[in-house]
Amino acid sequence: MHDYLKHLNLSEGAIAVIINLIAALVILVVGLWAAKRVTNFAGRAMGRASFDPTLIGFLRNLIYGALIAMIIVAVLTKAGVPFAPMAAALGAASLAIGLSLQGSLSNLAWGVLLILFRPFRVGDFIHAGGIDGTVESINLMHTVLVLPDNREAVVPNAKIGGDAIINFNRRGTRRFELRVGIGYQDDIGKAMALVEALFQADERILKEPAPGVYTEALADSSVNLLLRAFTNTGDFWATQTDLLRRVKECFDAEGITIPFPQRELRLVQGQLPESKEAAR
């Protein structure tokens, strides 16, 4: 190659530049090919190791980005670009970009933390950023939640990471609470025994921790009972709504009233005070 270029009557300096450019092009092509191969191999290895799918995608992108950066530096260096000015220019550009994209970088940083520490996973029902929803996807910049009414919410990761995160699925079980009022004239012991029997009859209600029914308050119009029980997360809504209906049906059958708010008015008859004119 060198003798062929000299045959074209090129100077030594021009020959060196051309050779460096060709070498830089070779490094670029081979480097891009190798980066894809290494990234795909790492992704398959993490998949065999049962890594979380979201974490696999993040690490693959991180590895590929790092390899591309190394390839670009190698290509520019081989092409004859001085490293010190290039590093200074990259540093200044990074600073300017960082100042202009503070919000986006905050989302990116929280995205990395959410993916690494995984306070929730795809499919979990969570409360985050003031929103309740099921996690559909976790990206570096935002998290997609599907709300109970099937609306979609795209929540910035900085908003999620900067507030409390409540994961309703992580423990596998949930406790529900129901409040039922009975009349003051009703037998409170009988009412509580009926509720306990309903607990035992429903297989979805967990026996450990044990469910319970308690006297919560002596209200204006009723004696309020508090019902607490644990279920598996998937049975949470159906179990408590079914139990509430069965409590109503059982109380009706046993003659236990569920009173509505009421007031007792008393009229007191008496002589009205005479006016000053009548007194005269």
Side-chain angles (χ1 to χ4, degrees):
M1 174 66 71
H2 187 273
D3 294 337
Y4 176 75
L5 293 175
K6 289 185 65 176
H7 181 70
L8 297 177
N9 297 322
L10 296 175
S11 64
E12 290 293 335
I15 292 174
V17 169
I18 293 175
I19 291 177
N20 287 337
L21 289 176
I22 294 174
L25 181 61
V26 172
I27 293 174
L28 178 62
V29 173
V30 175
L32 292 176
W33 174 83
K36 288 186 176 180
R37 295 293 299 272
V38 171
T39 303
N40 291 334
F41 174 79
R44 290 193 297 271
M46 288 183 286
R48 289 193 295 268
S50 301
F51 277 47
D52 185 83
T54 304
L55 185 60
I56 291 177
F58 167 71
L59 293 178
R60 284 188 60 187
N61 292 335
L62 183 63
I63 293 172
Y64 186 72
L67 292 175
I68 292 299
M70 294 171 60
I71 292 169
I72 291 175
V73 171
V75 168
L76 293 177
T77 302
K78 190 62 179 179
V81 178
F83 181 76
M86 179 177 61
L90 290 175
S94 300
L95 178 61
I97 293 173
L99 292 175
S100 61
L101 298 176
Q102 290 184 14
S104 298
L105 292 177
S106 178
N107 289 328
L108 178 62
W110 275 112
V112 172
L113 293 176
L114 291 175
I115 291 172
L116 289 178
F117 292 101
R118 291 181 291 176
F120 52 82
R121 301 185 180 187
V122 173
D124 286 349
F125 185 81
I126 66 171
H127 174 86
I131 299 175
D132 293 339
T134 301
V135 180
E136 184 176 73
S137 64
I138 309 169
N139 303 313
L140 289 179
M141 303 300 293
H142 61 263
T143 298
V144 179
L145 301 179
V146 179
L147 278 59
D149 59 2
N150 208 36
R151 289 181 296 165
E152 182 180 283
V154 180
V155 188
N157 286 331
K159 185 175 180 63
I160 292 178
D163 201 354
I165 300 173
I166 301 175
N167 191 326
F168 296 96
N169 293 77
R170 179 61 63 88
R171 299 286 181 173
T173 61
R174 288 182 64 181
R175 189 189 73 180
F176 65 82
E177 292 185 352
L178 298 175
R179 288 168 174 81
V180 178
I182 63 173
Y184 273 92
Q185 73 280 6
D186 295 317
D187 186 342
I188 187 172
K190 178 181 178 181
M192 296 175 74
L194 291 173
V195 173
E196 292 284 358
L198 293 176
F199 284 154
Q200 297 300 321
D202 195 331
E203 296 181 353
R204 296 170 298 181
I205 294 178
L206 302 180
K207 304 306 181 286
E208 185 63 35
V213 54
Y214 313 95
T215 305
E216 183 184 38
L218 302 177
D220 294 338
S221 305
S222 63
V223 177
N224 293 340
L225 303 180
L226 175 64
L227 287 60
R228 286 178 173 170
F230 279 85
T231 69
N232 292 321
T233 302
D235 298 329
F236 178 76
W237 291 108
T239 303
Q240 62 177 317
T241 54
D242 290 348
L243 178 63
L244 190 60
R245 177 178 177 176
R246 287 197 298 271
V247 167
K248 174 64 168 62
E249 294 172 345
C250 185
F251 280 7
D252 288 347
E254 296 294 330
I256 296 177
T257 60
I258 301 178
F260 51 85
Q262 52 188 307
R263 293 290 184 271
E264 181 178 306
L265 299 179
R266 294 184 180 182
L267 297 178
V268 180
Q269 293 183 351
Q271 186 177 2
L272 295 175
E274 296 181 354
S275 63
K276 293 181 180 180
E277 295 182 356
R280 291 177 183 177

